C-alpha cells in the first residue's frame, strides 16, 4: 500500500514516463526491406515530438523466411508478433519462390499470419488524393472525391474452407477442390465491424455477395440484413459481385463502405485501389477481436524494381500512420505523418509509379528525406 507522502511522487513518475510500444517489423520480400525503414524513421521522428517511443523487432516472413529457415512463417515470427502491440508488414513474394509446393510459398506464410493472429477484418481504404487524380486511368469526373472503405473478411471463406486440395477421383482423374463456407458467427463479426466502420464514415454500407448462385452467399446476405436492426442509422444495400465490379468502375462515388467475403474482397479491393491510380499510396489494417493488428500497404513486393531505389514508400508510411491511430492511440502523431505525406506531394515529389508531367521524379531514399524534412518542420 502506498503511504501518504509517496503518493504524489508515484503520480508524477507516471506522467513523466514516456509511453513505450513494442512493434514487430516484417519487411518480407522485394521492396519490403527498402520501405520499412522509411516508416520506422517517420515513427521515430513523431515519437520524439509526441513523447512516445517504440522498440522495433524484425522477424522473418515470406520468401526471406523460406531462404533462411525453410518455412514461410517460422514459429518464432508468430510468437514475436503475438507479444507485440502491433505488427508492421511490408510485402511478401517473388518469382524465385513461385514454383515451390504450396506449403512452402510466401503466400502461405501470409495466410498463416492472418490465421495465427485471427485477423478476420481487413480494412482497405481507397481514397483518391487530389494531387494524384491525373494518375488514375479513369476520367477525373468519375474518380474525383472517391472515398471508399472495403471491409474484407480475411480468415474464412474459400481461402480457408475444408475440404481443400487436389484429389484423385475413382476414374483416376485429378480434381482440385476448395470450399467456400461461412458460419453465422463468422459473418456476424465481420458485419458488425463493417456497420461500425460505416457509422464512422458516410453511414452507407453495401454488402457484396453472389446470392443469386451461392448458398454461402445467401446466408451471408440473410445475416447482414438481420444485423441491420442493430445499426438502424446505417443505410444497407446489396450487390452481386459481378455488378459490384462493374459499378466500381462505372460510378465509384456511389460507394461509402463495402463489406464482402475473402475472395470477393481480394478482387474488389484491388479494383477499388486502382481507381485512385496509385496503389503505391494505399495503406491497410488487418484486425482481430483482440491481440495485435497487422498494418501493411495494399501493394505487393514489386520484385521487378526491388533493390533499385525506385520503390514508393508512402503506402508503408501511411500504414504506420494507421497503426499509430488505431493500435497505439496516437492520433496526433498519425495526423502529423499524413500531413507530411501531403506536403511532399504538394511539393511535387513523385516516385515512378505516381509520376506525371511537370513533377519531380525521385527514388525511395529521396522521398524518405523529403518526408522526414516535412515531419521536422
Ligand atoms: C492480398 C493478396 C493476398 C491475398 C495473397 C498474397 C495471398 O493478394 O493481400 O490481397 O490473396 O489475400
Ligand atoms: Mg490481393
Amino acid at each position: 500500500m502506498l503511504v501518504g507522502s509517496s503518493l504524489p511522487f508515484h503520480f508524477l513518475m507516471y506522467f513523466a514516463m514516456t509511453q513505450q510500444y513494442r512493434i514487430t517489423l516484417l519487411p518480407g520480400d522485394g521492396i519490403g526491406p527498402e520501405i520499412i525503414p522509411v516508416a520506422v524513421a517517420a515513427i521515430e521522428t513523431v515519437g520524439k515530438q509526441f513523447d512516445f517511443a517504440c522498440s522495433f523487432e524484425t522477424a522473418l516472413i515470406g520468401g526471406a523466411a523460406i531462404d533462411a529457415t525453410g518455412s514461410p512463417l517460422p514459429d518464432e515470427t508468430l510468437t514475436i508478433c503475438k507479444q507485440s502491440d502491433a505488427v508492421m508488414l511490408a510485402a511478401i513474394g517473388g518469382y524465385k519462390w513461385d514454383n515451390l509446393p504450396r506449403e512452402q510459398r510466401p503466400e502461405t506464410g501470409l495466410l498463416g499470419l492472418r490465421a495465427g493472429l485471427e485477423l478476420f477484418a481487413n480494412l482497405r481504404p481507397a481514397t483518391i488524393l487530389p494531387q494524384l487524380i491525373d494518375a488514375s486511368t479513369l476520367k477525373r469526373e468519375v474518380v474525383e472525391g472517391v472515398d471508399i472503405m472495403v471491409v474484407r473478411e480475411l480468415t474464412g471463406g474459400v481461402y480457408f474452407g475444408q475440404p481443400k486440395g487436389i484429389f484423385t477421383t475413382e476414374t483416376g482423374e485429378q480434381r482440385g477442390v476448395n470450399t467456400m463456407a461461412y458460419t453465422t458467427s463468422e459473418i456476424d463479426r465481420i458485419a458488425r465491424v463493417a456497420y461500425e466502420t460505416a457509422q464512422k464514415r458516410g453511414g452507407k454500407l453495401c454488402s457484396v455477395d453472389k446470392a443469386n448462385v451461392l448458398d454461402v452467399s445467401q446466408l451471408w446476405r440473410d445475416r447482414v440484413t438481420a444485423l441491420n436492426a442493430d445499426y438502424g442509422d446505417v443505410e444497407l444495400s446489396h450487390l452481386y459481385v459481378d455488378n459490384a465490379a462493374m459499378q466500381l468502375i462505372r460510378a465509384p462515388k456511389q460507394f461509402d463502405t463495402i463489406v464482402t467475403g475473402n475472395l470477393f474482397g481480394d478482387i474488389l479491393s484491388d479494383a477499388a485501389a486502382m481507381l485512385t491510380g496509385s496503389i503505391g499510396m494505399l495503406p491497410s489494417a488487418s484486425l482481430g477481436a483482440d491481440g495485435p493488428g497487422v498494418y501493411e500497404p495494399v501493394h505487393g513486393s514489386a520484385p521487378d524494381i526491388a533493390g533499385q531505389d525506385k520503390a514508393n514508400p508512402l503506402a508503408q508510411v501511411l500504414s504506420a500512420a494507421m497503426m499509430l491511430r488505431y493500435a497505439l492511440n496516437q492520433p496526433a502523431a498519425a495526423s502529423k505523418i499524413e500531413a507530411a505525406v501531403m506536403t511532399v506531394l504538394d511539393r511535387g515529389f513523385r516516385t515512378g509509379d505516381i509520376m506525371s508531367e511537370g513533377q519531380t521524379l525521385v527514388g525511395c531514399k529521396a522521398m524518405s528525406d523529403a518526408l522526414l524534412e516535412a515531419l521536422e518542420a
Side-chain angles (χ1 to χ4, degrees):
M1 214 182 89
L2 292 171
V3 284
S5 66
S6 68
L7 204 143
F9 175 72
H10 281 267
F11 194 69
L12 281 174
M13 279 291 286
Y14 179 78
F15 278 96
M17 227 160 61
T18 301
Q19 186 73 46
Q20 297 271 348
Y21 304 106
R22 295 178 68 169
I23 309 296
T24 301
L25 302 174
L26 303 176
D29 306 318
I31 59 173
E34 293 168 70
I35 59 178
I36 283 273
V38 184
V40 168
I43 292 171
E44 285 180 330
T45 304
V46 292
K48 283 182 205 125
Q49 295 166 347
F50 293 90
D51 197 29
F52 65 87
C54 296
S55 61
F56 297 99
E57 192 164 358
T58 303
L60 290 165
I61 192 169
I66 297 170
D67 289 351
T69 71
S71 156
L73 181 67
D75 291 343
E76 196 196 348
T77 295
L78 199 53
T79 305
I80 295 171
C81 288
K82 282 183 180 162
Q83 288 164 354
S84 56
D85 293 304
V87 177
M88 196 159 60
L89 170 68
I92 51 105
Y95 317 119
K96 186 178 167 190
W97 306 282
D98 276 349
N99 295 315
L100 290 171
R102 181 164 311 283
E103 63 281 6
Q104 287 169 34
R105 284 203 210 150
E107 289 77 4
T108 304
L110 182 59
L111 297 181
L113 182 72
R114 290 172 181 171
L117 297 177
E118 291 179 72
L119 305 170
F120 69 88
N122 182 213
L123 273 53
R124 296 190 166 181
T127 310
I128 191 143
L129 302 175
Q131 298 96 331
L132 300 179
I133 287 187
D134 295 324
S136 178
T137 49
L138 279 89
K139 290 191 193 114
R140 172 178 279 267
E141 59 267 30
V142 174
V143 292
E144 196 161 31
V146 160
D147 179 9
I148 301 172
M149 178 71 85
V150 179
V151 179
R152 169 190 177 191
E153 200 290 326
L154 203 59
T155 50
V158 72
Y159 273 55
F160 291 92
Q162 294 289 343
K164 65 193 275 182
I166 299 174
F167 305 99
T168 306
T169 68
E170 281 170 13
T171 60
E173 206 186 3
Q174 286 199 299
R175 183 162 186 264
V177 179
N178 287 93
T179 304
M180 193 187 278
Y182 275 115
T183 59
T184 310
S185 57
E186 284 176 317
I187 300 168
D188 286 7
R189 65 180 181 176
I190 189 70
R192 288 193 187 280
V193 170
Y195 275 117
E196 280 158 27
T197 305
Q199 278 177 330
K200 289 183 207 133
R201 292 173 42 89
K204 280 170 57 183
L205 179 63
C206 179
S207 173
V208 174
D209 62 39
K210 190 72 185 170
N212 50 345
V213 178
L214 303 175
D215 298 313
V216 53
S217 281
Q218 188 58 55
L219 181 64
W220 178 281
R221 187 175 284 224
D222 293 347
R223 289 309 308 164
V224 174
T225 304
L227 286 176
N228 199 189
D230 292 351
Y231 306 89
D233 51 337
V234 175
E235 185 192 316
L236 175 67
S237 62
H238 303 274
L239 281 180
Y240 299 135
V241 62
D242 50 350
N243 190 13
M246 194 167 73
Q247 295 300 331
L248 265 178
I249 310 302
R250 192 188 71 85
K253 276 182 267 187
Q254 69 185 286
F255 295 105
D256 169 28
T257 306
I258 293 175
V259 63
T260 189
N262 207 340
L263 179 62
F264 300 156
D266 177 44
I267 299 165
L268 294 182
S269 64
D270 264 25
M274 217 49 221
L275 297 171
T276 70
S278 43
I279 198 167
M281 294 296 301
L282 297 174
S284 80
S286 302
L287 309 172
D290 43 38
V294 173
Y295 296 81
E296 63 180 302
V298 166
H299 62 71
S301 57
D304 53 323
I305 59 162
Q308 300 169 35
D309 192 31
K310 287 182 179 166
N312 181 355
L314 296 179
Q316 189 76 59
V317 169
L318 290 170
S319 300
M322 256 183 130
M323 178 176 82
L324 290 172
R325 179 170 286 115
Y326 296 113
L328 310 185
N329 198 22
Q330 295 285 348
S335 299
K336 180 102 197 248
I337 289 181
E338 288 159 353
V341 169
M342 295 308 127
T343 302
V344 297
L345 293 177
D346 287 338
R347 289 189 188 150
F349 295 113
R350 301 284 187 275
T351 43
D353 58 312
I354 51 172
M355 184 59 189
S356 60
E357 223 183 294
Q359 311 295 338
T360 310
L361 181 67
V362 293
C364 185
K365 288 207 182 78
M367 187 61 107
S368 175
D369 292 344
L371 181 85
L372 293 177
E373 196 192 306
L375 275 178
E376 298 282 7

